[in-house]
PDB file of all heavy atoms in Angstrom:
ATOM      1  N   PRO A   1      -5.492 -10.590   3.318  1.00  0.00           N
ATOM      2  CA  PRO A   1      -6.529  -9.665   2.865  1.00  0.00           C
ATOM      3  C   PRO A   1      -6.089  -8.210   3.023  1.00  0.00           C
ATOM      4  O   PRO A   1      -5.420  -7.850   3.992  1.00  0.00           O
ATOM      5  CB  PRO A   1      -7.711  -9.986   3.783  1.00  0.00           C
ATOM      6  CG  PRO A   1      -7.459 -11.378   4.270  1.00  0.00           C
ATOM      7  CD  PRO A   1      -5.969 -11.453   4.419  1.00  0.00           C
ATOM      8  N   ILE A   2      -6.494  -7.391   2.054  1.00  0.00           N
ATOM      9  CA  ILE A   2      -6.197  -5.951   2.063  1.00  0.00           C
ATOM     10  C   ILE A   2      -7.499  -5.206   1.842  1.00  0.00           C
ATOM     11  O   ILE A   2      -8.320  -5.596   1.009  1.00  0.00           O
ATOM     12  CB  ILE A   2      -5.182  -5.580   0.957  1.00  0.00           C
ATOM     13  CG1 ILE A   2      -3.853  -6.309   1.174  1.00  0.00           C
ATOM     14  CG2 ILE A   2      -4.952  -4.072   0.915  1.00  0.00           C
ATOM     15  CD1 ILE A   2      -3.702  -7.544   0.350  1.00  0.00           C
ATOM     16  N   ARG A   3      -7.681  -4.126   2.595  1.00  0.00           N
ATOM     17  CA  ARG A   3      -8.899  -3.318   2.471  1.00  0.00           C
ATOM     18  C   ARG A   3      -8.526  -1.886   2.089  1.00  0.00           C
ATOM     19  O   ARG A   3      -7.719  -1.257   2.753  1.00  0.00           O
ATOM     20  CB  ARG A   3      -9.655  -3.310   3.802  1.00  0.00           C
ATOM     21  CG  ARG A   3     -10.952  -2.488   3.796  1.00  0.00           C
ATOM     22  CD  ARG A   3     -11.594  -2.502   5.184  1.00  0.00           C
ATOM     23  NE  ARG A   3     -10.777  -1.770   6.159  1.00  0.00           N
ATOM     24  CZ  ARG A   3     -11.009  -1.760   7.474  1.00  0.00           C
ATOM     25  NH1 ARG A   3     -12.010  -2.456   7.976  1.00  0.00           N
ATOM     26  NH2 ARG A   3     -10.220  -1.073   8.292  1.00  0.00           N
ATOM     27  N   LEU A   4      -9.132  -1.408   1.013  1.00  0.00           N
ATOM     28  CA  LEU A   4      -8.992  -0.015   0.604  1.00  0.00           C
ATOM     29  C   LEU A   4     -10.318   0.686   0.890  1.00  0.00           C
ATOM     30  O   LEU A   4     -11.349   0.307   0.344  1.00  0.00           O
ATOM     31  CB  LEU A   4      -8.653   0.084  -0.885  1.00  0.00           C
ATOM     32  CG  LEU A   4      -8.704   1.480  -1.521  1.00  0.00           C
ATOM     33  CD1 LEU A   4      -7.706   2.416  -0.868  1.00  0.00           C
ATOM     34  CD2 LEU A   4      -8.465   1.389  -3.026  1.00  0.00           C
ATOM     35  N   THR A   5     -10.267   1.679   1.775  1.00  0.00           N
ATOM     36  CA  THR A   5     -11.462   2.453   2.108  1.00  0.00           C
ATOM     37  C   THR A   5     -11.357   3.812   1.439  1.00  0.00           C
ATOM     38  O   THR A   5     -10.438   4.594   1.733  1.00  0.00           O
ATOM     39  CB  THR A   5     -11.595   2.642   3.633  1.00  0.00           C
ATOM     40  OG1 THR A   5     -11.547   1.351   4.275  1.00  0.00           O
ATOM     41  CG2 THR A   5     -12.912   3.315   3.975  1.00  0.00           C
ATOM     42  N   LEU A   6     -12.259   4.093   0.523  1.00  0.00           N
ATOM     43  CA  LEU A   6     -12.241   5.349  -0.223  1.00  0.00           C
ATOM     44  C   LEU A   6     -12.890   6.467   0.600  1.00  0.00           C
ATOM     45  O   LEU A   6     -13.593   6.202   1.580  1.00  0.00           O
ATOM     46  CB  LEU A   6     -12.959   5.155  -1.554  1.00  0.00           C
ATOM     47  CG  LEU A   6     -12.304   4.107  -2.480  1.00  0.00           C
ATOM     48  CD1 LEU A   6     -13.156   3.891  -3.725  1.00  0.00           C
ATOM     49  CD2 LEU A   6     -10.893   4.514  -2.847  1.00  0.00           C
ATOM     50  N   PRO A   7     -12.660   7.721   0.219  1.00  0.00           N
ATOM     51  CA  PRO A   7     -13.164   8.832   1.025  1.00  0.00           C
ATOM     52  C   PRO A   7     -14.676   8.829   1.244  1.00  0.00           C
ATOM     53  O   PRO A   7     -15.164   9.326   2.256  1.00  0.00           O
ATOM     54  CB  PRO A   7     -12.728  10.071   0.231  1.00  0.00           C
ATOM     55  CG  PRO A   7     -11.520   9.620  -0.517  1.00  0.00           C
ATOM     56  CD  PRO A   7     -11.786   8.183  -0.875  1.00  0.00           C
ATOM     57  N   ASP A   8     -15.440   8.263   0.300  1.00  0.00           N
ATOM     58  CA  ASP A   8     -16.892   8.225   0.455  1.00  0.00           C
ATOM     59  C   ASP A   8     -17.375   7.007   1.240  1.00  0.00           C
ATOM     60  O   ASP A   8     -18.573   6.768   1.348  1.00  0.00           O
ATOM     61  CB  ASP A   8     -17.579   8.281  -0.905  1.00  0.00           C
ATOM     62  CG  ASP A   8     -17.242   7.083  -1.801  1.00  0.00           C
ATOM     63  OD1 ASP A   8     -16.449   6.220  -1.367  1.00  0.00           O
ATOM     64  OD2 ASP A   8     -17.760   7.017  -2.933  1.00  0.00           O
ATOM     65  N   GLY A   9     -16.434   6.217   1.774  1.00  0.00           N
ATOM     66  CA  GLY A   9     -16.789   5.030   2.543  1.00  0.00           C
ATOM     67  C   GLY A   9     -16.870   3.758   1.730  1.00  0.00           C
ATOM     68  O   GLY A   9     -17.045   2.681   2.299  1.00  0.00           O
ATOM     69  N   ALA A  10     -16.759   3.859   0.410  1.00  0.00           N
ATOM     70  CA  ALA A  10     -16.769   2.662  -0.431  1.00  0.00           C
ATOM     71  C   ALA A  10     -15.532   1.814  -0.144  1.00  0.00           C
ATOM     72  O   ALA A  10     -14.482   2.332   0.253  1.00  0.00           O
ATOM     73  CB  ALA A  10     -16.807   3.053  -1.907  1.00  0.00           C
ATOM     74  N   LEU A  11     -15.670   0.505  -0.354  1.00  0.00           N
ATOM     75  CA  LEU A  11     -14.591  -0.425  -0.074  1.00  0.00           C
ATOM     76  C   LEU A  11     -14.160  -1.146  -1.345  1.00  0.00           C
ATOM     77  O   LEU A  11     -14.981  -1.466  -2.199  1.00  0.00           O
ATOM     78  CB  LEU A  11     -15.026  -1.481   0.943  1.00  0.00           C
ATOM     79  CG  LEU A  11     -15.471  -1.026   2.333  1.00  0.00           C
ATOM     80  CD1 LEU A  11     -15.888  -2.236   3.166  1.00  0.00           C
ATOM     81  CD2 LEU A  11     -14.370  -0.246   3.034  1.00  0.00           C
ATOM     82  N   VAL A  12     -12.858  -1.414  -1.431  1.00  0.00           N
ATOM     83  CA  VAL A  12     -12.325  -2.359  -2.414  1.00  0.00           C
ATOM     84  C   VAL A  12     -11.527  -3.378  -1.606  1.00  0.00           C
ATOM     85  O   VAL A  12     -10.634  -3.003  -0.833  1.00  0.00           O
ATOM     86  CB  VAL A  12     -11.432  -1.693  -3.470  1.00  0.00           C
ATOM     87  CG1 VAL A  12     -11.081  -2.701  -4.570  1.00  0.00           C
ATOM     88  CG2 VAL A  12     -12.101  -0.467  -4.066  1.00  0.00           C
ATOM     89  N   LEU A  13     -11.861  -4.660  -1.779  1.00  0.00           N
ATOM     90  CA  LEU A  13     -11.283  -5.725  -0.965  1.00  0.00           C
ATOM     91  C   LEU A  13     -10.435  -6.634  -1.841  1.00  0.00           C
ATOM     92  O   LEU A  13     -10.896  -7.115  -2.880  1.00  0.00           O
ATOM     93  CB  LEU A  13     -12.395  -6.520  -0.284  1.00  0.00           C
ATOM     94  CG  LEU A  13     -13.347  -5.678   0.578  1.00  0.00           C
ATOM     95  CD1 LEU A  13     -14.557  -6.500   0.994  1.00  0.00           C
ATOM     96  CD2 LEU A  13     -12.623  -5.120   1.797  1.00  0.00           C
ATOM     97  N   TYR A  14      -9.194  -6.860  -1.404  1.00  0.00           N
ATOM     98  CA  TYR A  14      -8.248  -7.649  -2.165  1.00  0.00           C
ATOM     99  C   TYR A  14      -7.743  -8.811  -1.309  1.00  0.00           C
ATOM    100  O   TYR A  14      -7.865  -8.800  -0.090  1.00  0.00           O
ATOM    101  CB  TYR A  14      -7.031  -6.809  -2.573  1.00  0.00           C
ATOM    102  CG  TYR A  14      -7.326  -5.510  -3.262  1.00  0.00           C
ATOM    103  CD1 TYR A  14      -7.417  -4.314  -2.530  1.00  0.00           C
ATOM    104  CD2 TYR A  14      -7.475  -5.435  -4.636  1.00  0.00           C
ATOM    105  CE1 TYR A  14      -7.659  -3.100  -3.156  1.00  0.00           C
ATOM    106  CE2 TYR A  14      -7.707  -4.212  -5.280  1.00  0.00           C
ATOM    107  CZ  TYR A  14      -7.799  -3.051  -4.524  1.00  0.00           C
ATOM    108  OH  TYR A  14      -8.033  -1.862  -5.155  1.00  0.00           O
ATOM    109  N   ASN A  15      -7.106  -9.774  -1.961  1.00  0.00           N
ATOM    110  CA  ASN A  15      -6.414 -10.848  -1.266  1.00  0.00           C
ATOM    111  C   ASN A  15      -5.148 -11.131  -2.060  1.00  0.00           C
ATOM    112  O   ASN A  15      -5.218 -11.444  -3.252  1.00  0.00           O
ATOM    113  CB  ASN A  15      -7.277 -12.099  -1.163  1.00  0.00           C
ATOM    114  CG  ASN A  15      -7.039 -12.876   0.119  1.00  0.00           C
ATOM    115  OD1 ASN A  15      -6.114 -12.590   0.869  1.00  0.00           O
ATOM    116  ND2 ASN A  15      -7.866 -13.870   0.382  1.00  0.00           N
ATOM    117  N   GLY A  16      -3.995 -10.988  -1.420  1.00  0.00           N
ATOM    118  CA  GLY A  16      -2.767 -11.139  -2.178  1.00  0.00           C
ATOM    119  C   GLY A  16      -1.575 -11.493  -1.321  1.00  0.00           C
ATOM    120  O   GLY A  16      -1.653 -11.554  -0.091  1.00  0.00           O
ATOM    121  N   ILE A  17      -0.465 -11.722  -1.982  1.00  0.00           N
ATOM    122  CA  ILE A  17       0.800 -12.026  -1.337  1.00  0.00           C
ATOM    123  C   ILE A  17       1.637 -10.755  -1.323  1.00  0.00           C
ATOM    124  O   ILE A  17       1.862 -10.129  -2.366  1.00  0.00           O
ATOM    125  CB  ILE A  17       1.531 -13.165  -2.069  1.00  0.00           C
ATOM    126  CG1 ILE A  17       0.685 -14.440  -2.018  1.00  0.00           C
ATOM    127  CG2 ILE A  17       2.904 -13.410  -1.457  1.00  0.00           C
ATOM    128  CD1 ILE A  17       1.216 -15.565  -2.883  1.00  0.00           C
ATOM    129  N   ILE A  18       2.093 -10.365  -0.140  1.00  0.00           N
ATOM    130  CA  ILE A  18       2.792  -9.102   0.052  1.00  0.00           C
ATOM    131  C   ILE A  18       4.299  -9.323   0.052  1.00  0.00           C
ATOM    132  O   ILE A  18       4.808 -10.275   0.651  1.00  0.00           O
ATOM    133  CB  ILE A  18       2.354  -8.448   1.375  1.00  0.00           C
ATOM    134  CG1 ILE A  18       0.873  -8.054   1.298  1.00  0.00           C
ATOM    135  CG2 ILE A  18       3.211  -7.228   1.705  1.00  0.00           C
ATOM    136  CD1 ILE A  18       0.286  -7.567   2.611  1.00  0.00           C
ATOM    137  N   ALA A  19       5.007  -8.438  -0.634  1.00  0.00           N
ATOM    138  CA  ALA A  19       6.471  -8.422  -0.601  1.00  0.00           C
ATOM    139  C   ALA A  19       6.910  -7.003  -0.260  1.00  0.00           C
ATOM    140  O   ALA A  19       6.504  -6.044  -0.928  1.00  0.00           O
ATOM    141  CB  ALA A  19       7.059  -8.861  -1.939  1.00  0.00           C
ATOM    142  N   LEU A  20       7.709  -6.859   0.785  1.00  0.00           N
ATOM    143  CA  LEU A  20       8.176  -5.546   1.239  1.00  0.00           C
ATOM    144  C   LEU A  20       9.666  -5.416   0.973  1.00  0.00           C
ATOM    145  O   LEU A  20      10.466  -6.235   1.438  1.00  0.00           O
ATOM    146  CB  LEU A  20       7.895  -5.367   2.729  1.00  0.00           C
ATOM    147  CG  LEU A  20       8.432  -4.077   3.371  1.00  0.00           C
ATOM    148  CD1 LEU A  20       7.731  -2.857   2.781  1.00  0.00           C
ATOM    149  CD2 LEU A  20       8.268  -4.118   4.884  1.00  0.00           C
ATOM    150  N   ASN A  21      10.047  -4.383   0.221  1.00  0.00           N
ATOM    151  CA  ASN A  21      11.453  -4.043   0.031  1.00  0.00           C
ATOM    152  C   ASN A  21      11.834  -3.057   1.131  1.00  0.00           C
ATOM    153  O   ASN A  21      11.411  -1.905   1.114  1.00  0.00           O
ATOM    154  CB  ASN A  21      11.666  -3.429  -1.355  1.00  0.00           C
ATOM    155  CG  ASN A  21      13.126  -3.121  -1.640  1.00  0.00           C
ATOM    156  OD1 ASN A  21      13.959  -3.120  -0.737  1.00  0.00           O
ATOM    157  ND2 ASN A  21      13.434  -2.846  -2.889  1.00  0.00           N
ATOM    158  N   GLU A  22      12.620  -3.517   2.082  1.00  0.00           N
ATOM    159  CA  GLU A  22      12.925  -2.705   3.258  1.00  0.00           C
ATOM    160  C   GLU A  22      14.020  -1.667   3.026  1.00  0.00           C
ATOM    161  O   GLU A  22      14.278  -0.840   3.910  1.00  0.00           O
ATOM    162  CB  GLU A  22      13.326  -3.618   4.417  1.00  0.00           C
ATOM    163  CG  GLU A  22      12.221  -4.553   4.854  1.00  0.00           C
ATOM    164  CD  GLU A  22      12.638  -5.406   6.032  1.00  0.00           C
ATOM    165  OE1 GLU A  22      12.857  -4.835   7.122  1.00  0.00           O
ATOM    166  OE2 GLU A  22      12.764  -6.635   5.859  1.00  0.00           O
ATOM    167  N   THR A  23      14.658  -1.688   1.873  1.00  0.00           N
ATOM    168  CA  THR A  23      15.682  -0.690   1.577  1.00  0.00           C
ATOM    169  C   THR A  23      15.016   0.579   1.057  1.00  0.00           C
ATOM    170  O   THR A  23      14.367   0.551   0.004  1.00  0.00           O
ATOM    171  CB  THR A  23      16.680  -1.215   0.533  1.00  0.00           C
ATOM    172  OG1 THR A  23      17.283  -2.411   1.034  1.00  0.00           O
ATOM    173  CG2 THR A  23      17.753  -0.180   0.244  1.00  0.00           C
ATOM    174  N   PRO A  24      15.148   1.706   1.754  1.00  0.00           N
ATOM    175  CA  PRO A  24      14.475   2.929   1.299  1.00  0.00           C
ATOM    176  C   PRO A  24      15.179   3.563   0.110  1.00  0.00           C
ATOM    177  O   PRO A  24      16.385   3.374  -0.102  1.00  0.00           O
ATOM    178  CB  PRO A  24      14.553   3.848   2.529  1.00  0.00           C
ATOM    179  CG  PRO A  24      15.776   3.387   3.256  1.00  0.00           C
ATOM    180  CD  PRO A  24      15.859   1.910   3.030  1.00  0.00           C
ATOM    181  N   THR A  25      14.415   4.311  -0.657  1.00  0.00           N
ATOM    182  CA  THR A  25      15.005   5.126  -1.718  1.00  0.00           C
ATOM    183  C   THR A  25      15.763   6.282  -1.077  1.00  0.00           C
ATOM    184  O   THR A  25      15.362   6.814  -0.033  1.00  0.00           O
ATOM    185  CB  THR A  25      13.923   5.685  -2.646  1.00  0.00           C
ATOM    186  OG1 THR A  25      12.984   6.457  -1.871  1.00  0.00           O
ATOM    187  CG2 THR A  25      13.178   4.567  -3.359  1.00  0.00           C
ATOM    188  N   LEU A  26      16.854   6.670  -1.697  1.00  0.00           N
ATOM    189  CA  LEU A  26      17.687   7.754  -1.167  1.00  0.00           C
ATOM    190  C   LEU A  26      17.959   8.742  -2.285  1.00  0.00           C
ATOM    191  O   LEU A  26      18.950   8.624  -3.015  1.00  0.00           O
ATOM    192  CB  LEU A  26      19.001   7.204  -0.604  1.00  0.00           C
ATOM    193  CG  LEU A  26      18.896   6.179   0.528  1.00  0.00           C
ATOM    194  CD1 LEU A  26      20.253   5.590   0.850  1.00  0.00           C
ATOM    195  CD2 LEU A  26      18.277   6.810   1.768  1.00  0.00           C
ATOM    196  N   THR A  27      17.064   9.695  -2.452  1.00  0.00           N
ATOM    197  CA  THR A  27      17.205  10.733  -3.463  1.00  0.00           C
ATOM    198  C   THR A  27      17.283  12.077  -2.763  1.00  0.00           C
ATOM    199  O   THR A  27      16.388  12.430  -1.988  1.00  0.00           O
ATOM    200  CB  THR A  27      16.015  10.720  -4.441  1.00  0.00           C
ATOM    201  OG1 THR A  27      15.914   9.416  -5.030  1.00  0.00           O
ATOM    202  CG2 THR A  27      16.202  11.758  -5.530  1.00  0.00           C
ATOM    203  N   LYS A  28      18.350  12.812  -3.002  1.00  0.00           N
ATOM    204  CA  LYS A  28      18.580  14.071  -2.314  1.00  0.00           C
ATOM    205  C   LYS A  28      17.376  15.004  -2.453  1.00  0.00           C
ATOM    206  O   LYS A  28      16.852  15.208  -3.544  1.00  0.00           O
ATOM    207  CB  LYS A  28      19.828  14.756  -2.873  1.00  0.00           C
ATOM    208  CG  LYS A  28      20.249  16.018  -2.123  1.00  0.00           C
ATOM    209  CD  LYS A  28      21.537  16.568  -2.679  1.00  0.00           C
ATOM    210  CE  LYS A  28      21.944  17.858  -1.983  1.00  0.00           C
ATOM    211  NZ  LYS A  28      22.276  17.638  -0.550  1.00  0.00           N
ATOM    212  N   GLY A  29      16.915  15.491  -1.318  1.00  0.00           N
ATOM    213  CA  GLY A  29      15.809  16.442  -1.315  1.00  0.00           C
ATOM    214  C   GLY A  29      14.437  15.807  -1.399  1.00  0.00           C
ATOM    215  O   GLY A  29      13.438  16.525  -1.464  1.00  0.00           O
ATOM    216  N   GLN A  30      14.363  14.460  -1.412  1.00  0.00           N
ATOM    217  CA  GLN A  30      13.076  13.787  -1.491  1.00  0.00           C
ATOM    218  C   GLN A  30      12.883  12.858  -0.297  1.00  0.00           C
ATOM    219  O   GLN A  30      13.851  12.383   0.310  1.00  0.00           O
ATOM    220  CB  GLN A  30      12.955  12.989  -2.788  1.00  0.00           C
ATOM    221  CG  GLN A  30      12.966  13.867  -4.037  1.00  0.00           C
ATOM    222  CD  GLN A  30      12.705  13.071  -5.300  1.00  0.00           C
ATOM    223  OE1 GLN A  30      12.222  11.947  -5.261  1.00  0.00           O
ATOM    224  NE2 GLN A  30      13.018  13.652  -6.442  1.00  0.00           N
TER     225      GLN A  30
END
């Protein structure tokens, strides 16, 4: 489950499969 809490307190609730790419982007100056 994933919860998105918006600035006004509203919620959006999701359920999903997470995939994390652990290799960071490497762009000079960013």
Side-chain angles (χ1 to χ4, degrees):
I2 299 98
R3 180 182 68 189
L4 170 61
T5 306
L6 298 175
D8 62 359
L11 300 179
V12 188
L13 304 169
Y14 308 94
N15 214 351
I17 298 171
I18 294 172
L20 175 65
N21 183 346
E22 297 182 66
T23 302
T25 58
L26 301 172
T27 303
K28 186 176 178 65
Q30 295 186 17

